[in-house]
Amino acid sequence: MNSQKTWILCCFFNFLIACVFGLLMRFMYLFPIDFLNYSFLLHAHSHVAMLGWVYMIVIVLIVHFFIPKEKSQKPIYNRLFWLTEFSVVGMMVAFPIQGYALFSIIFSTLHIVLSYFFCRLVWKDCSKDKSLSQRLLLVSILFMILSTFGVWCLGPAVSTLGKQSAFYQIAIQFFLHFQFNGWFILAVLALFLKQFQDKMDEIKFKKFYFLMVVSNLLTVCFPVRWFIENDILSYINGLGVLMQLGAFIYFYKMLKSQIVDFKKTLNETTKIVYGLALSSLFLKVGIQLLTIFPNLAVVSHQIRNFVIGFIHLTTLGIITGFLFGIMLQNKMLSANSKTLKIGLKCFILGYILTELLLFLQGWFFFFGEGSIPGYFQSILMFSLFLVLGLVLVFSSIIKHRSE
């Protein structure tokens, strides 16, 4: 069995563990578990989902698609992968037990240091032909490095002003913003656009690229505005979300002529997964446009259901949707496996149902209607579909790994 299949299996294991942590959190709303701390579990869930699933699978696909074969076979990549996985397993164990404390901080810091090594390797080993998708990939890596500046500010923020300070909160939001919108989404789009390598309109791509990079830099003002009262930040964010809309108009125009031929090459399951990713992406752009309205901008972070719904829209809908689509399309997942097909449909059903319920409950709170009857029972039940779907996908990968 080749190392790439082992890596993919490992990433899905991390994803499954992150999902189980999420399910446990929803279970604890109904049935508190004495020996588990909810906020510790929340840290474990978010770190393993971001750094164990999304980060790890993205680097596996970057190595596969962007690093020439003779360079990707170098032992350093394998060593780096398993060292990073060691840091993820460390977080998996440390966070539920102690939350943010000595060991969890050691493992998450190790992850960041290893990510720097990975960035340097990719920058050095990327194929010499500077393709359009490669330009997008390299800027995503710069955003990843930029995001970590937020993490390095956390220590000084705690020691000088404390965890409740605006400085501390802004440092966290800075990290999250550039991780999700800068590093993850741009890297995933680079992987997706790799499929259209020689067929993209260069002028439209350059406009998409420019608007995307600038909108990323401007929209960081949105979370900063939560902690600093200044209307200028709202105007800058407004300009950023309008530029993001422009970017995706060019994204659509750039691919419009290729879409029909592209769809012909896909099987039914892959079409469903890509459809989910693209519809989630345009929904995200639409939701961010709403933040131009001040009253909606305020409630968007005050109502927790909206926050969780939006994070899941980004991680499960857009990022995971594209990753699943790319792996299916390139036969890295066995598209003929019945178990895999059922697993993916189960996962998608769980994602759609939990998202609808999260946003619906958010609107209930927004209009002062209180809680939806049976909300916690329903979201726990819907979350079971996510975990069951991943169990089936994981078992399908194990079954077909020797092929």
Side-chain angles (χ1 to χ4, degrees), residues 97-378:
I97 295 169
Q98 59 170 196
Y100 263 111
L102 179 65
F103 289 105
S104 53
I105 290 169
I106 288 170
F107 286 118
S108 38
T109 306
L110 173 64
H111 193 289
I112 291 174
V113 172
L114 291 167
S115 73
Y116 289 162
F117 279 108
F118 174 74
C119 291
R120 186 174 169 276
L121 256 182
V122 169
W123 206 273
K124 192 162 62 76
D125 287 349
C126 250
S127 56
K128 290 291 171 272
D129 60 313
K130 292 285 180 275
S131 63
L132 300 179
S133 54
Q134 190 172 306
R135 280 177 61 187
L136 196 59
L137 174 76
L138 294 178
V139 82
S140 78
I141 286 172
L142 290 177
F143 274 125
M144 192 250 269
I145 295 165
L146 177 65
S147 75
T148 60
F149 294 176
V151 177
W152 302 129
C153 287
L154 293 178
V158 172
S159 58
T160 56
L161 300 165
K163 281 193 175 183
Q164 300 312 311
S165 66
F167 179 27
Y168 180 83
Q169 297 300 330
I170 288 168
I172 290 174
Q173 294 305 325
F174 184 92
F175 169 71
L176 293 173
H177 173 81
F178 287 117
Q179 275 278 309
F180 283 115
N181 299 298
W183 157 227
F184 290 149
I185 287 185
L186 292 187
V188 164
L189 289 178
L191 289 161
F192 177 65
L193 292 176
K194 184 83 171 147
Q195 336 275 333
F196 301 93
Q197 198 59 295
D198 308 315
K199 301 170 187 170
M200 283 188 286
D201 181 318
E202 194 168 342
I203 293 164
K204 289 190 180 84
F205 173 83
K206 282 179 178 173
K207 288 176 180 174
F208 159 72
Y209 175 87
F210 171 76
L211 288 168
M212 209 49 199
V213 170
V214 177
S215 75
N216 249 303
L217 294 167
L218 298 182
T219 50
V220 75
C221 290
F222 180 64
V224 173
R225 176 73 174 81
W226 302 344
F227 310 103
I228 296 174
E229 287 292 323
N230 193 319
D231 289 342
I232 292 170
L233 293 170
S234 301
Y235 298 134
I236 296 171
N237 173 65
L239 177 62
V241 294
L242 289 171
M243 289 181 87
Q244 182 178 251
L245 175 66
F248 283 107
I249 290 169
Y250 280 113
F251 178 80
Y252 170 72
K253 284 182 173 178
M254 182 173 75
L255 299 179
K256 194 168 81 169
S257 58
Q258 318 300 328
I259 291 296
V260 176
D261 290 338
F262 180 66
K263 278 171 78 174
K264 284 177 189 168
T265 66
L266 306 177
N267 60 43
E268 207 51 48
T269 313
T270 314
K271 277 182 198 167
I272 291 168
V273 173
Y274 270 142
L276 173 87
L278 287 164
S279 52
S280 297
L281 180 63
F282 288 108
L283 194 56
K284 175 184 180 284
V285 174
I287 290 170
Q288 282 183 273
L289 277 171
L290 294 176
T291 63
I292 291 173
F293 303 103
N295 58 333
L296 290 176
V298 170
V299 299
S300 67
H301 74 99
Q302 288 178 343
I303 296 175
R304 190 169 161 73
N305 300 72
F306 285 152
V307 176
I308 298 167
F310 188 76
I311 291 170
H312 286 181
L313 176 76
T314 306
T315 48
L316 299 178
I318 303 168
I319 298 167
T320 300
F322 273 115
L323 292 169
F324 279 2
I326 291 160
M327 285 188 281
L328 283 164
Q329 186 192 345
N330 293 279
K331 311 284 187 285
M332 297 162 98
L333 293 176
S334 179
N336 299 321
S337 161
K338 199 173 179 183
T339 313
L340 185 97
K341 284 180 190 172
I342 295 167
L344 285 174
K345 283 172 184 169
C346 207
F347 180 85
I348 290 168
L349 179 67
Y351 162 71
I352 292 170
L353 290 174
T354 51
E355 282 294 277
L356 286 172
L357 196 54
L358 279 164
F359 280 108
L360 188 63
Q361 178 61 84
W363 282 110
F364 264 57
F365 286 144
F366 180 65
F367 291 112
E369 297 291 330
S371 238
I372 295 172
Y375 169 77
F376 291 114
Q377 290 87 341
S378 303

Side-chain angles (χ1 to χ4, degrees), residues 39-59:
S39 78
F40 292 179
L41 210 52
L42 173 62
H43 290 315
H45 167 70
S46 57
H47 279 78
V48 176
M50 268 178 71
L51 306 177
W53 161 242
V54 180
Y55 174 89
M56 297 291 274
I57 194 69
V58 165
I59 67 169

